[in-house]
Amino acid sequence: MSDWKKAVTDKARHLRRNSIGGGSIALLLLVIAPVTAGAHGFTAALGWWLLLAFCLVPLALAVHLLFDALLFRLATSHDTEEDALTAIDDVLARMGLRAKPAVPAFLSQRFAGCRRLVILQWSTLTIAILLYAILLLDAVDGAPT
């Protein structure tokens, strides 16, 4: 296996792991939040809307990362790096997601874009977890005795 194929395979595996991990945590938050809200009659509705938003963003990014992982997997089915990158751009153009560029973006640029998405996913997930903890602490402290 050539160097670029190994790098693409590793990146696809990394993206799948981050997608499944981040998406699972966001889903877990969405499942347990209403249960704990009913326990003490949670506080402000704005906090819940924010929690919902900060849980849906990582879910959307998880889908995006899985799609990128599948595109990288498609790339490994080609013989040369240039053919692989052209194939990715062709798929994106046929789906109407992006106009086909004259020169395909380098692999390092694509990896950097994926890295930004992973950072964004985990950042919003961290905010969601902190927001949930704040709402839970507020509900526990505000419970009638």
Side-chain angles (χ1 to χ4, degrees), residues 47-117:
W48 284 106
W49 286 109
L50 283 173
L51 182 63
L52 179 65
F54 279 106
C55 284
L56 289 179
V57 169
L59 281 176
L61 289 170
V63 171
H64 192 303
L65 291 172
L66 273 178
F67 181 70
D68 285 349
L70 289 174
L71 286 175
F72 284 141
R73 189 169 177 194
L74 167 75
T76 59
S77 67
H78 293 278
D79 294 330
T80 65
E81 182 178 349
E82 188 171 323
D83 289 344
L85 297 175
T86 304
I88 290 174
D89 288 336
D90 185 50
V91 168
L92 292 173
R94 281 190 284 151
M95 291 180 76
L97 297 174
R98 185 184 299 172
K100 189 167 184 174
V103 177
F106 294 113
L107 202 52
S108 60
Q109 292 171 327
R110 294 173 195 265
F111 286 171
C114 291
R115 193 175 311 114
R116 284 191 298 271
L117 289 176

